[in-house]
Amino acid sequence: MTEIERKFLVATFPDGELHAVPLRQGYLTTPTDSIELRLRQQGTEYFMTLKSEGGLSRQEYEIQIDVTQFEMLWPATEGRRVEKTRYSGKLPDGQLFELDVFAGHLSPLMLVEVEFLSEDAAQAFIPPPWFGEEVTEDKRYKNKALALSIP
């Protein structure tokens, strides 16, 4: 499956109805590896995700795992973790977005992502005023890099 998304810093927290869920994710690979293998707890659900390198487009494979599998692998992510609250909402045109508010030493960092069905749609997207600087291609804002940042 190909993931096509653009990522932005957040200039101001948006108004409107948002759904929030706590997330914690840890990386089994390091930023220098050619792939990204991650564990994620999203509320009461657990996932393992494999992603290729890339910016706007990259391959993504995700499987749901159970809590026992997650807890067995979680210690292997020590030193490569992030915690955040993910807010989901819709832009006025109906486009979905996910806004992450990071906790701990990454606070007050906020990033917003929008996924697209095609690269053409991604390129045509005009971000709303509350979006800040685009960081889609900036590797410093990849979650696997943020997971290694030092407080």
Side-chain angles (χ1 to χ4, degrees):
M1 174 177 209
T2 301
E3 172 188 64
I4 303 168
E5 73 178 11
R6 289 178 63 186
K7 183 184 288 193
F8 301 82
L9 294 172
V10 176
T12 57
F13 198 85
D15 293 327
E17 187 175 323
L18 301 175
H19 172 72
V21 63
L23 288 177
R24 66 177 174 146
Q25 57 193 45
Y27 293 83
L28 297 163
T29 51
T30 66
T32 57
D33 291 330
S34 61
I35 60 163
E36 174 183 309
L37 186 60
R38 151 188 103 198
L39 297 175
R40 174 184 282 169
Q41 178 182 1
Q42 186 168 334
T44 58
E45 297 183 308
Y46 303 87
F47 302 92
M48 182 182 293
T49 306
L50 174 70
K51 290 187 177 191
S52 67
E53 284 191 294
L56 178 65
S57 296
R58 59 186 180 157
Q59 297 300 304
E60 177 183 66
Y61 305 94
E62 184 168 80
I63 58 171
Q64 190 159 5
I65 60 176
D66 64 40
V67 65
T68 304
Q69 294 167 318
F70 179 88
E71 293 298 340
M72 180 181 68
L73 293 168
W74 186 249
T77 68
E78 183 69 38
R80 295 180 308 281
R81 297 177 181 163
V82 294
E83 291 190 34
K84 56 190 176 179
T85 300
R86 172 160 289 169
Y87 296 88
S88 305
K90 286 186 181 182
L91 297 171
D93 66 359
Q95 178 74 42
L96 299 175
F97 68 85
E98 295 177 329
L99 187 157
D100 292 338
V101 177
F102 289 83
H105 71 280
L106 293 171
S107 180
L109 179 63
M110 294 188 291
L111 294 170
V112 62
E113 299 175 350
V114 181
E115 290 195 20
F116 302 92
L117 296 176
S118 71
E119 287 190 16
D120 288 342
Q123 297 297 347
F125 176 71
I126 299 171
W130 62 270
F131 280 34
E133 175 187 352
E134 182 165 5
V135 294
T136 301
E137 302 291 340
D138 190 334
K139 292 183 180 189
R140 295 174 301 168
Y141 291 99
K142 299 280 186 206
N143 281 287
K144 69 180 183 178
L146 293 171
L148 285 174
S149 65
I150 301 192

